[in-house]
Amino acid sequence: MDRQRPGRPHSLTSSSRTSSAMSHNPRILPLISASERIPSPQELAHRDRPKHPDTILLHKSESSQAALVPQKHGMFMEEAYNAAICFKMLRDVNTSDSVHLNNVIKKLTTMAHMSPDLVVETIHSYFRDNPEISARHTFRLFQVLEAVIRASDSLEETWEKTFMQLALENMTKNTDLEDAYQDAASNVLVAICKHSWQAVVRLLETELLTGVFPHRSILYVMGMLSSAEGLFTQEDKACWEEKLTQMAVKSVSFLNSEAWCKELLWALTKPSWTQQEQSPEKAFLFTYYGLILQAEENSIKVRTHLQALLETSHQWPKQREGMALTVGLAAARHLDDVWAVLDQFGRSKRVRWCLHLFSVKGQTPGDLRWKWAGSTILLAYGQVAAKAKAHILPWVDNILSRMIFYFQHSSWDETLRQSFLTATLTLVGAISRTEGAHSYEFSQTSELVECLKVLMEKEPPDVLSMPSRWQTLHLLAGLCKLRPPMGLDKKSQLLTTCLHGVFALPPLDTLQKHSCLFLDPPDIQTLYSRTAEALDTMLQSFLLQSPSANELHFLLSHLYMWLVSEKAHERQRAVHSCVVLLQFLNHKLALDPKEDLKRVGQLVGMLGILCQDPDEVTRGCSLQGLGHLYQFLMRHKNAESTPALPWLPAGEALQVTAQTPKALSQRDVHGATLWSSGDQRTTTPVPPEFPKVIPQGIKPQDMMQHLTVVELTDLAWTAIDNLCVPRPAHVQAAAEILRTLMKEHGAKLKHVANMGRAIYLRLYSVHASRAKETALQAVTLLARSHTPDLVDAFLDFSRPLDSHAVRLWRALGAEQPVSRVVLEVLLAWLQKRPLPRGAGGPRRSKKTYLRSLAAMNTLHELQFAREFKQAVRDAYPKLFLALLTQMHYVLELNLPAEALPQQQAPEMAAPSPQNTSVEALKSLLSTTGHWNDFAHLQLQGAWENFTSMHTYPMGVGLLARAMVENQCQQLQAVLSQLLPSLQSQEERERKAAILILTEFLYSPLLSEVLPRQAALSVLARSLRDSSPDVRVSSLQGLGNVLFHPEKGALLRGQLPPFLNGFFQNSEPVVVRLMGTVSEVLHCLGQQGAGAQSLRVALKARSFFDDERDTVRAAAMALFGDLVAGITGRETSDLRNQVHQSMVPLLLHLKDQCPAVTKQAKFAFYRCAVLLHWRLQHTLFCTLAWERGLSARHFLWTCLMSGSQEEFGIHLTQALSYLHSSHRHIKTWAALFIGYTVCYHPQAVSHMVSQVDLNLLLHTFEDLKRDPEPGTREFASRQLSFLPKVWARTQP
């Protein structure tokens, strides 16, 4: 029967070893069919022992027997009846019905439990009375006898001798069943060993030492005894091994017999039906042969026999293992000779050929005999190390070097891997049992670790079917404790490989599915548990070798990448290993209490984040880890002031050698605990004050109060780094930890600038709005104590600002007191304005000016932020002067326009520094309520003056003039800030200040801040300024009418000649004269033109429709300046002039000349201010930026609602412009009339003549072809509406 039949469990127990001959010897397959399969006696004995016997014995109740016959006669009849039944069943054993056969053997075994003597005697009688039974029947009777003997609690000496003799007679008998028959008889001897093994061994020794090579069955019994695990007690096992050694010593002389040696070699090498399993006789022979060679005194003879053995085939795994065992046993006494033989064999041509030249192509059967010779040598070196015992340490490096050589140069396959692992496990186990191993320096351990790392790398990434993975980790855990210690780089590579080899495995359910493909599926749960435990033991071994905070951080740093893995099962495995390591620390206190746990904050952060993991197991494990960490941290902090630990042995306060309870129970393949002897006899006791219960419900905030500043910083960085992970739950947890940390301990942190930069970079990866808001709240809390540092950091990414930078700045100023500090720091950076080296100097190396530009960009953006609204208003004077000066600084830098990347649209490019400086001042005016000052410059187009150094003074003057004209509420505050600027070291600040001051001299509010005499002193002092521009401006200021009131009459006296000159033919002269009159009006200031104002208005209005573009523009500009000068003190006549100018100015908004349009807009706006129109801000926006019919309709509405008394004048003026030669003005006039007709049809019909109506209709006909759709539609409606209105008004 094939012993590899599916469904049969494979075991190394004694019961499987001593099963029926059919299960041990496939050679009887041709003789016994599958239908005749008989369960082994061991199976039957163990299966039936706990059960009650079946009712096959005819027992009567005692009362019945007493009533019928005497009791003795009844017992006799019962025994006779049972014997008859037993006899019948022994006869039925010969049946061919396998089911019936199984039942018979089961019943016989059950009967043996109740009446062992009866069954044994019946079997003996059956053998005696039936000498001619068939071999097959006898074979089965031996199986029954074996089961009965095993099932019996005792066996009489008489029966022992009888059955020993019976077995001995049949063990060597040749039948058609071949080895199966002999093995069945041999198994009877093995069963008798349960009751008296010494007697059996004496019999076997006699047969073994006859001088003739023993029969196979003798060797079979010896092999069964050697491999039986439950047969001997510990004491009997030692006696048996001693007896076996004595037999080997007595057998040394047999080596002189050539015939005996030939039979021995033939028995060791003869093929069997299956080469995957090794027969008991062959297994014993390898051990027996090794013991004989061990006892041999002649070294030459030992070498000869070993060489002959190694020259045999290396094709089959059990053959290689047996050969290695023989070599190892011989090495226990002949280490030098064995080393020489292995070295010579390794240098042989065959071995070198198989190492370097072996090829599967064209191979012959002879090739396979040597393909795995390297594996044999590997196993042999491992056995040499195991058997050499105390003599092994000096040989370890040599053995390792050879093992590494054969591993690296042999053909890679599963055989090589398993052989190398087995040899290494054997070697490491031998070292672990050797005294002084931990104080010995090994030179080859690093190379061995590299080989084991290769093994881990070659493990299949998605399958867990073999124990090689956990065996490799188990070996590495042991090697970690040897000297010299491993280097950091190699240790890092090893940890990376091992962690990947375990954590990256698929989930257990997936591994289970993969295992279904195997004929003999492994226990995946057990395999993985062993693998994970081996990995944890390796991590603990590293920490034991170097118990320091740095080592702990080194180990944890390799776990962190798995703690943030995107796969839940990888995070779960990593956090479990982390918790096991912390539990190990808690139990052993392996760190020096004086050491600073610098990186413990990172661990707190990681576990705290994982406490919010979506996976329930990971959450629970992380909470447990926080509890262990909290406990360890408390003990470590409390022990810092303790010079020694009283519960540790002297000199061992900082050295911990014990493993965790799990690790302590782990044993190597030989059954011995790794490093259980030698240098580590003592273990660290658990301290008496060690708490039995781990704290529950510990949160990161509970840990924070016990962390140092360095540890808190580490925690902050961990939270920041985890803001960019792709899992929303982890990002939210990291943000919450960061917020809590900043709230409770933000003031303690140092070097927060880098944190601010890092938060900005991670915000790009935060997609959840809640998590992003939480992170920004952390910035708000941190800014309470570190505003300057954060401002400094945020300036690095504020040129230009993106949306994330803006949000950071807003978070920085979310609290009102902090927002003021932010502006102050930004102003300080803005005012640090270094200039690059001149053109002749070396090329710029550091763009130091970028900080000032970044501050400018930031101030520009923050003016629109709600959080900074009040702070900007409060800081308006400082900001106003700083931004004015900044524009001059940017012009000084004269930065080249930044090149646009290819395929990037110009509108997508970042604004230039010049544009930004101007826009910053614009936004300051518009966002702080000074939009009227902004409107003056916008409608004049004065912002263009700030784009060049030449026109910069003009721009500053116009801005200051607008503030005076609009009676700016912040004028006094600006003036107060202005005076210190005049003493500034920077010329640009003095220049801007003096320009503003010269315009502020026209304000009636000047005297409240700067009296007249003080103003004179300031200007006089500025005459001595080093800057020519400042001196010129000061000189102009000293000529102000404020200081020379008599100049007012002189200037007014010059107005009539200038006005008369308007009618000259020279266009430039007229334009210059109008400009001069405007300048005179400005110089007069508060004195004004007086009675001549009306004449100026009339003269200027008369040129609104002049054919010369420049004259029209100059006239409108003059009229606007006049209106600005008389605002608040205008007469009724002047007011009428303003009303009469509104329609011409409105219609000239569509003038063909841009200069005229600009001056018309500004003059129209000034007139609206004088007339106190409503919605002045909306009017300004419409004039500045709106286009189309909606804008025209709004302007018409403003005019008609603000000047209702002048309705007739406005309509008459509009009708007159229908005759204009300018198409756009004529169109605008028609639209004006059209709007008037729609809202005031009766009034219009009475004022419009037939000629005007025809002209109006003709104009609308032309507008039907206008390119603007709205205009065309409006014209069509008017063409249908006007005739109806005209018809209704006619009599």
Side-chain angles (χ1 to χ4, degrees):
M1 181 63 63
D2 186 359
R3 69 174 301 173
Q4 299 296 329
R5 181 175 61 86
R8 169 103 181 250
H10 297 275
S11 175
L12 297 178
T13 62
S14 60
S15 61
S16 62
R17 292 271 187 178
T18 58
S19 60
S20 68
M22 290 185 296
S23 60
H24 282 296
N25 295 276
R27 292 166 287 186
I28 67 172
L29 284 172
L31 305 176
I32 301 177
S33 65
S35 63
E36 296 174 319
R37 164 70 164 84
I38 303 173
S40 67
Q42 295 86 342
E43 291 174 338
L44 293 172
H46 289 289
R47 183 190 312 164
D48 299 331
R49 186 177 299 274
K51 298 181 179 180
H52 297 290
D54 296 335
T55 58
I56 63 172
L57 301 178
L58 303 180
H59 293 286
K60 306 289 185 178
S61 66
E62 294 183 4
S63 60
S64 299
Q65 293 178 12
L68 295 175
V69 294
Q71 186 175 2
K72 291 185 178 180
H73 179 71
M75 293 177 62
F76 172 79
M77 291 300 295
E78 182 180 352
E79 291 178 1
Y81 184 78
N82 289 340
I85 289 198
C86 182
F87 191 88
K88 182 180 182 302
M89 285 192 292
L90 292 176
R91 184 184 62 192
D92 291 344
V93 165
N94 197 31
T95 182
S96 59
D97 186 354
S98 60
V99 176
H100 180 63
L101 179 62
N102 290 337
N103 289 331
V104 169
I105 295 179
K106 178 180 179 181
K107 292 175 181 179
L108 282 171
T109 308
T110 304
M111 185 182 292
H113 282 296
M114 305 297 298
S115 304
D117 293 337
L118 174 65
V119 177
V120 169
E121 184 178 358
T122 304
I123 293 174
H124 177 261
S125 300
Y126 196 92
F127 272 110
R128 182 192 61 199
D129 298 339
N130 299 280
E132 301 299 328
I133 58 178
S134 65
R136 188 182 299 274
H137 194 179
T138 306
F139 162 74
R140 288 173 177 164
L141 287 174
F142 278 134
Q143 285 188 303
V144 173
L145 180 58
E146 178 194 357
V148 169
I149 293 174
R150 288 184 180 276
S152 301
D153 295 329
S154 62
L155 190 65
E156 296 181 3
E157 184 177 355
T158 304
W159 293 122
E160 289 179 4
K161 293 180 180 179
T162 301
F163 288 129
M164 285 171 57
Q165 186 61 35
L166 178 65
L168 194 61
E169 291 173 357
N170 287 273
M171 283 168 55
T172 57
K173 185 181 292 186
N174 293 324
T175 65
D176 56 348
L177 298 181
E178 298 181 353
D179 293 348
Y181 183 88
Q182 297 173 357
D183 291 346
S186 301
N187 286 333
V188 174
L189 275 183
V190 176
I192 294 174
C193 286
K194 173 185 176 182
H195 306 283
S196 179
W197 67 272
Q198 294 91 346
V200 176
V201 170
R202 285 195 296 270
L203 177 64
L204 294 173
E205 182 178 10
T206 302
E207 295 294 330
L208 191 65
L209 301 178
T210 60
V212 179
F213 191 79
H215 189 271
R216 187 199 67 83
S217 297
I218 302 297
L219 299 176
Y220 174 85
V221 176
M222 298 292 285
M224 294 298 294
L225 293 179
S226 299
S227 61
E229 294 183 0
L231 187 61
F232 297 112
T233 63
Q234 193 69 22
E235 183 179 354
D236 290 342
K237 184 71 174 178
C239 293
W240 158 248
E241 292 176 353
E242 180 63 26
K243 191 67 177 178
L244 190 59
T245 303
Q246 294 173 3
M247 293 181 196
V249 173
K250 296 175 182 179
S251 303
V252 170
S253 59
F254 300 155
L255 295 179
N256 297 322
S257 171
E258 184 177 352
W260 193 92
C261 293
K262 284 184 178 180
E263 287 198 53
L264 170 64
L265 200 60
W266 180 85
L268 290 174
T269 58
K270 71 175 181 178
S272 57
W273 284 100
T274 172
Q275 295 289 358
Q276 298 300 324
E277 296 292 336
Q278 188 157 283
S279 62
E281 61 268 24
K282 187 178 287 189
F284 169 74
L285 267 182
F286 279 116
T287 302
Y288 183 50
Y289 192 16
L291 292 174
I292 294 175
L293 292 178
Q294 185 182 112
E296 174 61 58
E297 299 287 346
N298 192 332
S299 298
I300 297 177
K301 191 174 294 185
V302 172
R303 293 191 182 193
T304 302
H305 279 270
L306 289 178
Q307 288 170 355
L309 180 64
L310 292 174
E311 290 295 326
T312 60
S313 174
H314 298 261
Q315 181 176 355
W316 304 108
K318 293 299 180 182
Q319 190 76 9
R320 296 192 294 270
E321 293 175 9
M323 294 165 67
L325 178 60
T326 300
V327 172
L329 289 169
R333 189 177 179 189
H334 303 281
L335 185 56
D336 293 334
D337 298 318
V338 170
W339 182 265
V341 170
L342 289 176
D343 184 65
Q344 182 181 358
F345 181 64
R347 297 175 186 274
S348 63
K349 292 182 179 180
R350 289 178 175 179
V351 176
R352 286 187 295 170
W353 172 79
C354 80
L355 292 179
H356 302 288
L357 302 177
F358 186 86
S359 175
V360 178
K361 295 181 179 180
Q363 66 184 19
T364 64
D367 298 334
L368 293 176
R369 297 176 67 247
W370 298 99
K371 176 180 179 180
W372 293 286
S375 296
T376 304
I377 298 176
L378 283 172
L379 294 171
Y381 279 124
Q383 290 292 342
V384 166
K387 307 305 179 185
K389 298 182 180 178
H391 306 289
I392 190 57
L393 288 182
W395 292 86
V396 168
D397 284 328
N398 289 332
I399 293 175
L400 284 178
S401 65
R402 299 303 173 87
M403 290 173 61
I404 293 168
F405 171 80
Y406 287 107
F407 174 80
Q408 293 175 344
H409 294 84
S410 299
S411 300
W412 174 262
D413 56 12
E414 182 61 31
T415 300
L416 173 67
R417 177 175 68 174
Q418 199 56 49
S419 299
F420 181 75
L421 273 177
T422 303
T424 309
L425 283 167
T426 308
L427 174 63
V428 172
I431 297 174
S432 69
R433 294 185 294 272
T434 305
E435 292 284 346
H438 292 279
S439 59
Y440 202 89
E441 289 276 352
F442 299 99
S443 61
Q444 295 294 318
T445 52
S446 60
E447 285 76 10
L448 179 59
V449 169
E450 283 297 318
C451 295
L452 293 174
K453 185 165 75 73
V454 171
L455 283 180
M456 282 297 296
E457 291 171 349
K458 289 183 177 292
E459 287 288 337
D462 54 354
V463 176
L464 183 64
S465 59
M466 301 291 290
S468 56
R469 198 183 304 255
W470 76 262
Q471 289 174 346
T472 303
L473 292 170
H474 188 72
L475 283 170
L476 288 169
L479 292 174
C480 292
K481 301 178 181 180
L482 298 181
R483 297 175 60 192
M486 204 178 303
L488 284 181
D489 291 340
K490 288 190 175 182
K491 189 188 298 185
S492 178
Q493 295 173 6
L494 178 64
L495 283 172
T496 302
T497 301
C498 293
L499 293 175
H500 184 273
V502 178
F503 295 160
L505 284 170
L508 289 183
D509 54 350
T510 304
L511 292 174
Q512 292 281 9
K513 293 177 183 178
H514 291 171
S515 66
C516 296
L517 302 175
F518 296 97
L519 293 176
D520 186 14
D523 186 348
I524 297 298
Q525 182 64 51
T526 302
L527 268 181
Y528 180 78
S529 297
R530 282 189 166 189
T531 304
E533 289 177 5
L535 177 64
D536 294 335
T537 303
M538 185 185 74
L539 296 176
Q540 295 165 14
S541 299
F542 279 125
L543 193 57
L544 284 173
Q545 189 184 40
S546 177
S548 64
N550 289 336
E551 183 70 13
L552 176 63
H553 168 64
F554 179 80
L555 298 176
L556 292 174
S557 64
H558 288 78
L559 287 172
Y560 289 148
M561 66 170 291
W562 297 99
L563 292 176
V564 298
S565 171
E566 296 185 13
K567 299 179 180 178
H569 68 278
E570 293 179 354
R571 298 195 303 274
Q572 185 182 121
R573 293 166 179 173
V575 75
H576 178 268
S577 291
C578 188
V579 171
V580 171
L581 190 61
L582 291 174
Q583 185 179 8
F584 169 75
L585 277 175
N586 254 342
H587 280 273
K588 304 307 168 188
L589 277 181
L591 303 186
D592 185 353
K594 297 180 181 179
E595 260 193 304
D596 187 13
L597 301 177
K598 298 179 181 179
R599 302 308 305 274
V600 73
Q602 185 176 13
L603 184 56
V604 173
M606 293 303 303
L607 292 176
I609 292 170
L610 290 174
C611 286
Q612 305 298 326
D613 193 89
D615 180 66
E616 183 178 359
V617 176
T618 303
R619 291 198 305 271
C621 205
S622 301
L623 286 170
Q624 183 183 1
L626 276 178
H628 285 296
L629 180 60
Y630 180 82
Q631 189 179 52
F632 167 72
L633 188 62
M634 292 302 96
R635 297 188 63 96
H636 189 85
K637 299 288 185 182
N638 295 334
E640 287 181 355
S641 58
T642 305
L645 299 176
W647 45 271
L648 284 176
E652 296 183 9
L654 303 181
Q655 181 181 4
V656 180
T657 57
Q659 301 180 7
T660 61
K662 283 187 178 181
L664 288 171
S665 64
Q666 294 177 358
R667 297 180 178 271
D668 64 6
V669 291
H670 303 287
T673 304
L674 286 181
W675 322 124
S676 59
S677 62
D679 296 353
Q680 294 191 330
R681 295 178 181 176
T682 60
T683 60
T684 303
V686 177
E689 70 275 10
F690 188 85
K692 300 299 182 183
V693 180
I694 300 299
Q696 300 295 323
I698 296 296
K699 298 180 180 179
Q701 48 265 40
D702 301 324
M703 308 278 290
M704 292 177 190
Q705 55 186 331
H706 302 289
L707 300 180
T708 64
V709 174
V710 175
E711 294 162 356
L712 288 171
T713 303
D714 199 36
L715 173 59
W717 276 110
T718 303
I720 292 171
D721 291 339
N722 279 272
L723 291 176
C724 58
V725 297
R727 291 168 301 284
H730 289 187
V731 175
Q732 181 62 38
E736 290 176 357
I737 290 175
L738 188 63
R739 179 178 61 184
T740 303
L741 174 61
M742 298 310 175
K743 180 180 180 181
E744 302 294 336
H745 307 282
K748 303 177 185 177
L749 298 179
K750 299 180 180 179
H751 310 295
V752 298
N754 292 331
M755 293 183 188
R757 297 186 187 97
I759 292 174
Y760 164 73
L761 294 175
R762 272 105 179 134
L763 281 180
Y764 286 96
S765 303
V766 181
H767 302 295
S769 58
R770 180 186 170 199
K772 185 174 293 187
E773 190 62 32
T774 305
L776 292 173
Q777 290 173 7
V779 174
T780 301
L781 296 170
L782 185 62
R784 293 176 178 177
S785 307
H786 303 280
T787 306
D789 293 334
L790 291 177
V791 171
D792 185 18
F794 293 172
L795 284 176
D796 291 339
F797 44 79
S798 298
R799 184 181 178 271
L801 287 84
D802 56 18
S803 60
H804 294 98
V806 172
R807 293 197 66 176
L808 270 177
W809 282 108
R810 295 183 64 179
L812 196 63
E815 296 180 350
Q816 194 64 32
V818 179
S819 64
R820 293 188 173 91
V821 179
V822 171
L823 286 184
E824 290 177 3
V825 178
L826 283 173
L827 278 172
W829 277 109
L830 184 73
Q831 293 168 353
K832 294 180 180 180
R833 304 182 179 105
L835 286 174
R837 299 186 180 183
R843 192 173 182 179
R844 304 170 189 169
S845 58
K846 294 183 179 180
K847 297 182 178 180
T848 54
Y849 57 86
L850 293 180
R851 305 289 287 179
S852 180
L853 298 183
M856 175 183 69
N857 293 340
T858 306
L859 286 170
H860 177 214
E861 291 291 339
L862 296 186
Q863 291 166 13
F864 301 99
R866 172 180 51 82
E867 296 80 358
F868 288 88
K869 183 176 182 180
Q870 187 58 45
V872 170
R873 287 180 179 274
D874 296 341
Y876 176 82
K878 294 181 180 179
L879 287 171
F880 177 78
L881 293 175
L883 292 176
L884 267 180
T885 309
Q886 185 72 10
M887 288 191 288
H888 191 284
Y889 174 65
V890 172
L891 293 174
E892 288 181 86
L893 289 177
N894 193 24
L895 296 175
E898 297 182 3
L900 292 176
Q902 293 183 356
Q903 300 179 354
Q904 181 176 351
E907 60 272 11
M908 296 176 61
S912 66
Q914 291 182 358
N915 290 339
T916 304
S917 64
V918 175
E919 291 299 323
L921 184 58
K922 287 182 179 180
S923 60
L924 177 67
L925 296 174
S926 60
T927 57
T928 55
H930 299 84
W931 62 267
N932 43 8
D933 300 335
F934 172 76
H936 272 65
L937 271 69
Q938 182 69 32
L939 295 176
Q940 292 181 84
W943 295 114
E944 297 296 328
N945 294 320
F946 292 106
T947 59
S948 69
M949 191 69 74
H950 177 69
T951 57
Y952 173 81
M954 185 183 299
V956 175
L958 289 176
L959 179 56
R961 187 176 301 178
M963 296 174 68
V964 173
E965 181 178 328
N966 294 315
Q967 298 180 3
C968 176
Q969 297 178 356
Q970 293 282 355
L971 190 144
Q972 293 168 298
V974 172
L975 187 57
S976 299
Q977 293 291 330
L978 193 69
L979 296 178
S981 298
L982 291 172
Q983 308 297 324
S984 173
Q985 298 295 322
E986 293 186 4
E987 179 185 346
R988 66 181 72 90
E989 289 192 18
R990 302 195 305 273
K991 183 177 179 180
I994 197 66
L995 290 172
I996 296 173
L997 179 60
T998 55
E999 290 295 333
F1000 279 7
L1001 293 175
Y1002 295 102
S1003 173
L1005 303 175
L1006 176 70
S1007 59
E1008 297 180 13
V1009 178
L1010 188 66
R1012 179 173 176 275
Q1013 192 60 39
L1016 280 172
S1017 301
V1018 170
L1019 293 173
R1021 186 168 56 249
S1022 298
L1023 287 175
R1024 299 187 296 272
D1025 196 277
S1026 58
S1027 170
D1029 294 333
V1030 174
R1031 294 198 300 270
V1032 170
S1033 298
S1034 301
L1035 189 60
Q1036 292 175 349
L1038 288 172
N1040 192 283
V1041 70
L1042 175 66
F1043 307 114
H1044 309 282
E1046 67 279 3
K1047 291 181 61 176
L1050 294 175
L1051 291 174
R1052 283 190 293 271
Q1054 298 296 321
L1055 285 177
F1058 292 155
L1059 294 175
N1060 293 332
F1062 288 0
F1063 297 99
Q1064 294 188 20
N1065 294 328
S1066 175
E1067 181 179 352
V1069 172
V1070 174
V1071 172
R1072 283 197 296 271
L1073 285 172
M1074 289 183 178
T1076 302
V1077 173
S1078 294
E1079 186 63 28
V1080 169
L1081 292 176
H1082 172 64
C1083 292
L1084 286 172
Q1086 296 300 316
Q1087 295 185 14
Q1092 299 191 51
S1093 298
L1094 181 59
R1095 186 181 178 190
V1096 173
L1098 292 171
K1099 293 289 185 180
R1101 284 190 57 243
S1102 63
F1103 289 92
F1104 280 2
D1105 298 316
D1106 193 272
E1107 294 297 328
R1108 296 165 294 184
D1109 295 341
T1110 57
V1111 173
R1112 292 200 307 276
M1116 293 178 185
L1118 173 58
F1119 188 81
D1121 291 337
L1122 175 65
V1123 170
I1126 64 174
T1127 300
R1129 56 180 186 273
E1130 70 276 8
T1131 63
S1132 58
D1133 294 335
L1134 286 174
R1135 195 176 186 84
N1136 291 332
Q1137 291 297 316
V1138 172
H1139 279 297
Q1140 295 177 20
S1141 67
M1142 297 305 288
V1143 170
L1145 291 174
L1146 178 64
L1147 297 181
H1148 277 288
L1149 295 180
K1150 296 299 179 180
D1151 196 283
Q1152 62 183 2
C1153 177
V1156 175
T1157 302
K1158 179 177 69 175
Q1159 294 301 334
K1161 287 181 178 181
F1162 188 39
F1164 188 86
Y1165 173 76
R1166 282 175 154 179
C1167 292
V1169 172
L1170 183 141
L1171 297 174
H1172 302 291
W1173 283 6
R1174 298 170 54 221
L1175 303 177
Q1176 293 182 15
H1177 183 267
T1178 308
L1179 175 64
F1180 152 64
C1181 294
T1182 305
L1183 291 172
W1185 298 295
E1186 294 296 333
R1187 300 290 185 270
L1189 291 178
S1190 60
R1192 297 178 183 182
H1193 180 266
F1194 175 77
L1195 293 175
W1196 175 87
T1197 303
C1198 291
L1199 177 61
M1200 300 306 290
S1201 61
S1203 305
Q1204 295 181 0
E1205 296 83 359
E1206 289 75 21
F1207 175 83
I1209 298 174
H1210 295 333
L1211 184 59
T1212 303
Q1213 289 177 325
L1215 289 171
S1216 66
Y1217 277 98
L1218 291 176
H1219 303 276
S1220 174
S1221 59
H1222 299 289
R1223 175 177 174 273
H1224 294 291
I1225 294 178
K1226 182 179 180 179
T1227 300
W1228 185 201
L1231 293 175
F1232 183 91
I1233 297 171
Y1235 291 137
T1236 308
V1237 170
C1238 292
Y1239 290 94
H1240 307 281
Q1242 294 294 332
V1244 172
S1245 62
H1246 289 91
M1247 297 181 63
V1248 176
S1249 65
Q1250 184 64 45
V1251 175
D1252 293 332
L1253 177 62
N1254 294 335
L1255 181 59
L1256 188 59
L1257 292 174
H1258 179 73
T1259 304
F1260 281 126
E1261 284 289 345
D1262 293 340
L1263 289 178
K1264 289 178 63 176
R1265 295 185 293 274
D1266 192 271
E1268 186 178 348
T1271 303
R1272 294 197 301 269
E1273 182 180 357
F1274 183 78
S1276 299
R1277 291 179 179 178
Q1278 290 295 319
L1279 286 173
S1280 63
F1281 181 65
L1282 279 174
K1284 296 178 182 178
V1285 173
W1286 182 261
R1288 287 198 301 266
T1289 58
Q1290 297 303 313

